[in-house]
Amino acid sequence: MEAIMGSDIKRGTAEMTAAMLISGTIGWFVVMSGQPVSGVVFWRCLFGALTLLVICGALGLLRPGIITLRAFGIAISGGIAIVLNWLLLFASYSHATISIATTVYNTQPFMLLMLGALFLGEKITATKLFWLALAFTGMVAIIQAKPGAGGAAFDGYGLGILMALGAAFFYALAALAAKWLKGTPPHLIALIQVATGMLMLTPMTDFSHPPGDVGSWAILVTVGVVHTGLMYVLLYGAIQRLPTHLTGALSFIYPIAAILVDRLAFGHALQPMQILGAAIILLAAAGMNLGWTPRWLRPRALES
Protein backbone atom coordinates (compact mmCIF):
# COMPACT_ATOMS: atom_id res chain seq x y z
CA MET A 1 0.00 0.00 0.00
CA GLU A 2 2.80 2.43 0.91
CA ALA A 3 4.55 1.63 -2.35
CA ILE A 4 1.38 2.43 -4.29
CA MET A 5 0.94 5.71 -2.42
CA GLY A 6 4.57 6.61 -3.06
CA SER A 7 4.12 5.87 -6.75
CA ASP A 8 0.99 8.06 -6.85
CA ILE A 9 2.83 10.95 -5.22
CA LYS A 10 5.74 10.65 -7.64
CA ARG A 11 3.42 10.56 -10.63
CA GLY A 12 1.25 13.36 -9.25
CA THR A 13 4.32 15.52 -8.58
CA ALA A 14 5.52 15.00 -12.15
CA GLU A 15 2.06 15.83 -13.53
CA MET A 16 1.67 18.95 -11.38
CA THR A 17 5.18 20.16 -12.25
CA ALA A 18 4.52 19.67 -15.96
CA ALA A 19 1.14 21.43 -15.73
CA MET A 20 2.65 24.45 -13.96
CA LEU A 21 5.58 24.68 -16.39
CA ILE A 22 3.13 24.61 -19.30
CA SER A 23 1.05 27.35 -17.65
CA GLY A 24 4.16 29.44 -17.07
CA THR A 25 4.93 29.55 -20.80
CA ILE A 26 1.50 30.62 -22.03
CA GLY A 27 2.38 34.32 -21.89
CA TRP A 28 5.06 33.83 -24.53
CA PHE A 29 2.61 32.04 -26.85
CA VAL A 30 -0.04 34.73 -26.38
CA VAL A 31 2.39 37.56 -27.19
CA MET A 32 4.04 35.75 -30.11
CA SER A 33 0.71 34.78 -31.71
CA GLY A 34 0.27 38.34 -32.94
CA GLN A 35 -3.50 37.94 -32.58
CA PRO A 36 -5.97 40.15 -30.68
CA VAL A 37 -6.62 38.84 -27.19
CA SER A 38 -10.21 37.86 -28.05
CA GLY A 39 -8.91 35.90 -31.04
CA VAL A 40 -6.30 34.06 -28.98
CA VAL A 41 -8.93 33.05 -26.41
CA PHE A 42 -11.39 31.96 -29.13
CA TRP A 43 -8.85 29.68 -30.80
CA ARG A 44 -7.75 28.41 -27.40
CA CYS A 45 -11.34 27.47 -26.65
CA LEU A 46 -11.88 25.88 -30.07
CA PHE A 47 -8.76 23.71 -30.11
CA GLY A 48 -9.11 23.04 -26.39
CA ALA A 49 -12.71 21.90 -26.90
CA LEU A 50 -11.72 19.53 -29.69
CA THR A 51 -8.95 18.05 -27.50
CA LEU A 52 -11.17 17.71 -24.43
CA LEU A 53 -13.98 16.23 -26.54
CA VAL A 54 -11.67 13.38 -27.54
CA ILE A 55 -10.48 12.95 -23.94
CA CYS A 56 -14.00 12.95 -22.50
CA GLY A 57 -15.11 10.48 -25.17
CA ALA A 58 -12.21 8.17 -24.33
CA LEU A 59 -13.08 8.36 -20.62
CA GLY A 60 -16.75 7.62 -21.27
CA LEU A 61 -17.90 11.02 -20.01
CA LEU A 62 -20.22 11.86 -22.90
CA ARG A 63 -22.99 9.40 -22.09
CA PRO A 64 -26.45 10.78 -21.19
CA GLY A 65 -27.27 11.40 -17.54
CA ILE A 66 -23.68 11.92 -16.37
CA ILE A 67 -24.40 15.56 -15.48
CA THR A 68 -27.58 17.15 -14.14
CA LEU A 69 -29.22 20.20 -15.71
CA ARG A 70 -28.37 22.27 -12.62
CA ALA A 71 -24.72 21.22 -12.73
CA PHE A 72 -24.63 21.98 -16.45
CA GLY A 73 -25.89 25.52 -15.78
CA ILE A 74 -23.29 26.06 -13.04
CA ALA A 75 -20.56 24.77 -15.35
CA ILE A 76 -21.64 27.27 -18.02
CA SER A 77 -21.49 30.08 -15.44
CA GLY A 78 -18.01 28.94 -14.48
CA GLY A 79 -17.08 28.88 -18.17
CA ILE A 80 -18.14 32.51 -18.58
CA ALA A 81 -15.98 33.43 -15.58
CA ILE A 82 -12.94 31.47 -16.79
CA VAL A 83 -13.12 33.05 -20.26
CA LEU A 84 -13.35 36.56 -18.78
CA ASN A 85 -10.37 35.58 -16.64
CA TRP A 86 -8.35 34.62 -19.74
CA LEU A 87 -9.33 37.78 -21.61
CA LEU A 88 -8.24 40.06 -18.77
CA LEU A 89 -5.05 38.17 -17.95
CA PHE A 90 -3.85 38.05 -21.55
CA ALA A 91 -4.71 41.73 -22.07
CA SER A 92 -2.73 42.66 -18.94
CA TYR A 93 0.51 41.30 -20.42
CA SER A 94 0.91 44.24 -22.79
CA HIS A 95 0.47 46.77 -19.97
CA ALA A 96 2.23 45.39 -16.91
CA THR A 97 4.52 42.65 -18.38
CA ILE A 98 3.98 38.92 -18.02
CA SER A 99 5.95 38.82 -14.75
CA ILE A 100 3.94 41.47 -12.92
CA ALA A 101 0.59 40.35 -14.34
CA THR A 102 1.21 36.74 -13.31
CA THR A 103 2.34 37.74 -9.83
CA VAL A 104 -0.69 39.97 -9.25
CA TYR A 105 -2.87 37.20 -10.67
CA ASN A 106 -1.68 34.99 -7.82
CA THR A 107 -3.83 37.00 -5.42
CA GLN A 108 -6.66 34.69 -6.51
CA PRO A 109 -6.64 32.67 -3.22
CA PHE A 110 -7.62 35.85 -1.40
CA MET A 111 -10.43 36.57 -3.87
CA LEU A 112 -11.69 33.03 -3.24
CA LEU A 113 -11.40 33.61 0.51
CA MET A 114 -13.76 36.59 0.30
CA LEU A 115 -16.20 34.83 -2.03
CA GLY A 116 -16.19 31.74 0.18
CA ALA A 117 -17.07 33.88 3.19
CA LEU A 118 -19.88 35.62 1.29
CA PHE A 119 -21.49 32.67 -0.47
CA LEU A 120 -20.39 29.54 1.38
CA GLY A 121 -20.31 30.84 4.94
CA GLU A 122 -16.64 29.95 5.33
CA LYS A 123 -14.91 31.47 8.36
CA ILE A 124 -12.17 34.08 7.90
CA THR A 125 -9.61 33.50 10.65
CA ALA A 126 -7.00 35.88 12.03
CA THR A 127 -4.31 33.90 10.18
CA LYS A 128 -6.10 34.34 6.85
CA LEU A 129 -6.51 38.05 7.53
CA PHE A 130 -2.77 38.28 8.23
CA TRP A 131 -1.88 36.70 4.87
CA LEU A 132 -4.44 38.93 3.15
CA ALA A 133 -2.89 42.06 4.71
CA LEU A 134 0.58 40.87 3.70
CA ALA A 135 -0.55 40.32 0.10
CA PHE A 136 -2.03 43.83 0.09
CA THR A 137 1.34 45.19 1.25
CA GLY A 138 3.04 43.44 -1.66
CA MET A 139 0.44 44.87 -4.03
CA VAL A 140 1.16 48.40 -2.77
CA ALA A 141 4.89 47.85 -3.35
CA ILE A 142 4.27 46.74 -6.94
CA ILE A 143 1.94 49.67 -7.65
CA GLN A 144 4.50 52.12 -6.26
CA ALA A 145 7.19 50.71 -8.55
CA LYS A 146 6.59 52.92 -11.57
CA PRO A 147 7.99 51.17 -14.65
CA GLY A 148 9.57 54.16 -16.30
CA ALA A 149 9.17 57.84 -16.88
CA GLY A 150 5.94 59.61 -17.65
CA GLY A 151 2.38 59.42 -16.42
CA ALA A 152 1.12 57.62 -19.53
CA ALA A 153 3.42 54.69 -18.87
CA PHE A 154 2.18 54.47 -15.29
CA ASP A 155 -1.43 54.71 -16.47
CA GLY A 156 -0.85 51.67 -18.67
CA TYR A 157 0.97 49.89 -15.87
CA GLY A 158 -1.86 50.56 -13.43
CA LEU A 159 -4.40 49.36 -15.99
CA GLY A 160 -2.43 46.13 -16.39
CA ILE A 161 -2.47 45.57 -12.64
CA LEU A 162 -6.23 46.20 -12.52
CA MET A 163 -6.76 43.73 -15.38
CA ALA A 164 -4.69 41.08 -13.58
CA LEU A 165 -6.73 41.66 -10.40
CA GLY A 166 -9.92 41.35 -12.44
CA ALA A 167 -8.61 38.10 -13.94
CA ALA A 168 -7.92 36.77 -10.42
CA PHE A 169 -11.46 37.69 -9.37
CA PHE A 170 -13.07 35.84 -12.27
CA TYR A 171 -10.80 32.85 -11.68
CA ALA A 172 -12.03 32.81 -8.08
CA LEU A 173 -15.62 32.87 -9.36
CA ALA A 174 -14.84 29.87 -11.58
CA ALA A 175 -13.26 28.09 -8.60
CA LEU A 176 -16.37 28.85 -6.54
CA ALA A 177 -18.50 27.27 -9.29
CA ALA A 178 -16.20 24.24 -9.22
CA LYS A 179 -16.83 23.88 -5.47
CA TRP A 180 -20.56 23.61 -6.22
CA LEU A 181 -19.80 20.95 -8.86
CA LYS A 182 -18.08 18.51 -6.52
CA GLY A 183 -18.59 15.01 -7.88
CA THR A 184 -18.91 16.15 -11.51
CA PRO A 185 -16.08 14.81 -13.72
CA PRO A 186 -13.54 17.69 -13.99
CA HIS A 187 -12.64 16.98 -17.62
CA LEU A 188 -16.30 17.34 -18.54
CA ILE A 189 -16.48 20.65 -16.64
CA ALA A 190 -13.45 21.87 -18.60
CA LEU A 191 -15.08 20.84 -21.89
CA ILE A 192 -18.27 22.74 -21.03
CA GLN A 193 -16.20 25.78 -20.06
CA VAL A 194 -14.21 26.01 -23.28
CA ALA A 195 -17.29 25.27 -25.39
CA THR A 196 -19.04 28.14 -23.59
CA GLY A 197 -16.08 30.39 -24.34
CA MET A 198 -16.13 29.45 -28.00
CA LEU A 199 -19.79 30.45 -28.28
CA MET A 200 -19.19 33.67 -26.29
CA LEU A 201 -16.34 34.83 -28.49
CA THR A 202 -17.61 33.82 -31.93
CA PRO A 203 -19.31 37.23 -32.51
CA MET A 204 -16.10 39.04 -31.44
CA THR A 205 -13.71 37.05 -33.62
CA ASP A 206 -12.65 38.42 -37.01
CA PHE A 207 -12.70 35.37 -39.27
CA SER A 208 -11.96 37.48 -42.34
CA HIS A 209 -8.36 37.97 -41.16
CA PRO A 210 -7.19 34.61 -39.80
CA PRO A 211 -3.52 33.98 -38.96
CA GLY A 212 -1.55 34.25 -42.15
CA ASP A 213 1.26 31.73 -41.64
CA VAL A 214 1.92 28.23 -40.38
CA GLY A 215 3.86 29.51 -37.36
CA SER A 216 0.91 31.54 -36.06
CA TRP A 217 -1.46 28.61 -36.49
CA ALA A 218 1.02 26.32 -34.71
CA ILE A 219 1.10 28.71 -31.74
CA LEU A 220 -2.71 28.83 -31.51
CA VAL A 221 -3.04 25.06 -31.82
CA THR A 222 -0.42 24.65 -29.09
CA VAL A 223 -2.30 27.01 -26.78
CA GLY A 224 -5.49 25.01 -27.30
CA VAL A 225 -4.12 21.47 -27.30
CA VAL A 226 -1.19 21.76 -24.87
CA HIS A 227 -2.01 24.74 -22.63
CA THR A 228 -5.69 23.78 -22.35
CA GLY A 229 -6.41 20.12 -23.14
CA LEU A 230 -3.15 18.52 -21.97
CA MET A 231 -2.71 20.94 -19.07
CA TYR A 232 -6.21 20.13 -17.71
CA VAL A 233 -5.49 16.40 -17.89
CA LEU A 234 -2.18 16.79 -16.06
CA LEU A 235 -3.59 19.20 -13.48
CA TYR A 236 -6.64 17.11 -12.60
CA GLY A 237 -4.55 13.94 -12.53
CA ALA A 238 -2.17 15.59 -10.07
CA ILE A 239 -4.97 16.94 -7.86
CA GLN A 240 -6.43 13.44 -7.58
CA ARG A 241 -3.09 11.92 -6.53
CA LEU A 242 -1.46 14.58 -4.33
CA PRO A 243 -2.26 15.83 -0.84
CA THR A 244 -3.53 19.42 -0.79
CA HIS A 245 -0.39 20.90 0.76
CA LEU A 246 1.82 19.43 -1.98
CA THR A 247 -0.53 20.65 -4.72
CA GLY A 248 -0.37 24.15 -3.22
CA ALA A 249 3.41 24.10 -2.95
CA LEU A 250 3.94 22.94 -6.55
CA SER A 251 1.52 25.57 -7.87
CA PHE A 252 4.21 28.22 -7.28
CA ILE A 253 6.20 26.78 -10.16
CA TYR A 254 3.75 28.66 -12.41
CA PRO A 255 4.61 32.28 -11.46
CA ILE A 256 8.32 31.49 -11.17
CA ALA A 257 8.31 29.93 -14.64
CA ALA A 258 6.38 32.92 -16.05
CA ILE A 259 8.89 35.39 -14.55
CA LEU A 260 11.81 33.43 -16.03
CA VAL A 261 10.16 33.21 -19.45
CA ASP A 262 9.46 36.96 -19.40
CA ARG A 263 13.09 37.68 -18.51
CA LEU A 264 14.67 35.28 -21.00
CA ALA A 265 12.29 35.80 -23.94
CA PHE A 266 11.52 39.51 -23.66
CA GLY A 267 14.27 40.88 -21.42
CA HIS A 268 11.80 42.22 -18.83
CA ALA A 269 13.73 42.46 -15.55
CA LEU A 270 11.87 43.32 -12.38
CA GLN A 271 12.90 46.43 -10.45
CA PRO A 272 13.93 46.01 -6.79
CA MET A 273 10.57 47.28 -5.48
CA GLN A 274 8.72 44.98 -7.90
CA ILE A 275 10.84 42.02 -6.77
CA LEU A 276 10.04 42.84 -3.14
CA GLY A 277 6.31 43.17 -3.86
CA ALA A 278 6.25 39.96 -5.90
CA ALA A 279 8.09 38.06 -3.16
CA ILE A 280 5.65 39.33 -0.52
CA ILE A 281 2.59 38.34 -2.60
CA LEU A 282 3.97 34.88 -3.34
CA LEU A 283 4.89 34.38 0.33
CA ALA A 284 1.37 35.41 1.39
CA ALA A 285 -0.20 33.11 -1.21
CA ALA A 286 2.04 30.25 -0.04
CA GLY A 287 1.04 30.86 3.57
CA MET A 288 -2.62 30.89 2.56
CA ASN A 289 -2.44 27.77 0.36
CA LEU A 290 -0.29 25.72 2.70
CA GLY A 291 -2.05 26.71 5.92
CA TRP A 292 0.93 28.31 7.62
CA THR A 293 0.22 30.07 10.92
CA PRO A 294 2.67 32.68 12.27
CA ARG A 295 3.93 31.81 15.74
CA TRP A 296 2.29 34.81 17.40
CA LEU A 297 -1.12 33.82 16.02
CA ARG A 298 -0.99 30.25 17.33
CA PRO A 299 -3.16 29.56 20.38
CA ARG A 300 -1.09 29.32 23.54
CA ALA A 301 -1.21 26.12 25.52
CA LEU A 302 -2.99 26.43 28.85
CA GLU A 303 -0.56 26.70 31.72
CA SER A 304 -0.94 24.06 34.41
Side-chain angles (χ1 to χ4, degrees):
M1 180 65 71
E2 289 184 3
I4 294 174
M5 290 180 64
S7 175
D8 275 351
I9 288 177
K10 286 181 181 178
R11 180 174 174 181
T13 299
E15 289 173 336
M16 188 69 183
T17 300
M20 294 300 97
L21 288 173
I22 290 171
S23 296
T25 64
I26 195 169
W28 182 89
F29 284 87
V30 170
V31 173
M32 296 305 294
S33 71
Q35 294 293 301
V37 169
S38 59
V40 174
V41 177
F42 171 81
W43 294 113
R44 178 183 193 179
C45 289
L46 174 61
F47 293 123
L50 293 174
T51 306
L52 288 164
L53 187 65
V54 173
I55 293 169
C56 288
L59 295 174
L61 301 178
L62 300 179
R63 63 183 185 274
I66 199 167
I67 185 171
T68 65
L69 186 60
R70 176 180 177 274
F72 184 70
I74 294 173
I76 290 175
S77 299
I80 293 171
I82 206 72
V83 169
L84 292 173
N85 149 69
W86 288 340
L87 289 170
L88 287 169
L89 181 62
F90 294 169
S92 70
Y93 293 157
S94 61
H95 295 284
T97 76
I98 294 170
S99 300
I100 292 300
T102 304
T103 301
V104 172
Y105 181 62
N106 271 270
T107 57
Q108 51 193 257
F110 305 102
M111 306 284 187
L112 187 56
L113 170 67
M114 297 301 184
L115 292 172
L118 286 173
F119 296 105
L120 301 178
E122 295 179 351
K123 185 179 179 182
I124 299 180
T125 63
T127 300
K128 291 177 180 179
L129 284 175
F130 168 76
W131 293 124
L132 176 61
L134 192 64
F136 181 77
T137 302
M139 186 70 59
V140 170
I142 285 178
I143 292 172
Q144 291 298 315
K146 298 182 181 181
F154 179 68
D155 288 344
Y157 181 69
L159 178 61
I161 290 175
L162 287 175
M163 286 179 170
L165 284 171
F169 173 74
F170 282 112
Y171 181 88
L173 283 179
L176 188 67
K179 282 178 175 283
W180 284 327
L181 290 171
K182 190 173 182 180
T184 304
H187 300 93
L188 184 59
I189 296 172
L191 174 60
I192 294 169
Q193 288 178 338
V194 292
T196 299
M198 190 173 60
L199 294 174
M200 280 175 60
L201 295 171
T202 295
M204 302 167 55
T205 304
D206 184 5
F207 296 104
S208 63
H209 295 88
D213 57 84
V214 175
S216 296
W217 278 115
I219 286 174
L220 294 173
V221 170
T222 301
V223 168
V225 175
V226 177
H227 291 87
T228 307
L230 177 61
M231 196 277 291
Y232 268 115
V233 172
L234 291 170
L235 179 62
Y236 290 141
I239 289 173
Q240 289 172 353
R241 292 183 175 88
L242 295 177
T244 303
H245 73 276
L246 193 50
T247 302
L250 291 171
S251 68
F252 289 94
I253 294 173
Y254 165 43
I256 293 170
I259 290 170
L260 289 175
V261 167
D262 199 22
R263 180 70 179 95
L264 295 174
F266 303 110
H268 292 154
L270 296 178
Q271 299 176 17
M273 187 64 77
Q274 291 175 319
I275 293 174
L276 176 62
I280 290 173
I281 288 175
L282 294 180
L283 173 63
M288 184 77 172
N289 281 338
L290 303 180
W292 295 341
T293 302
R295 186 182 299 274
W296 62 89
L297 289 175
R298 295 174 188 167
R300 295 181 179 179
L302 294 175
E303 296 181 3
S304 57

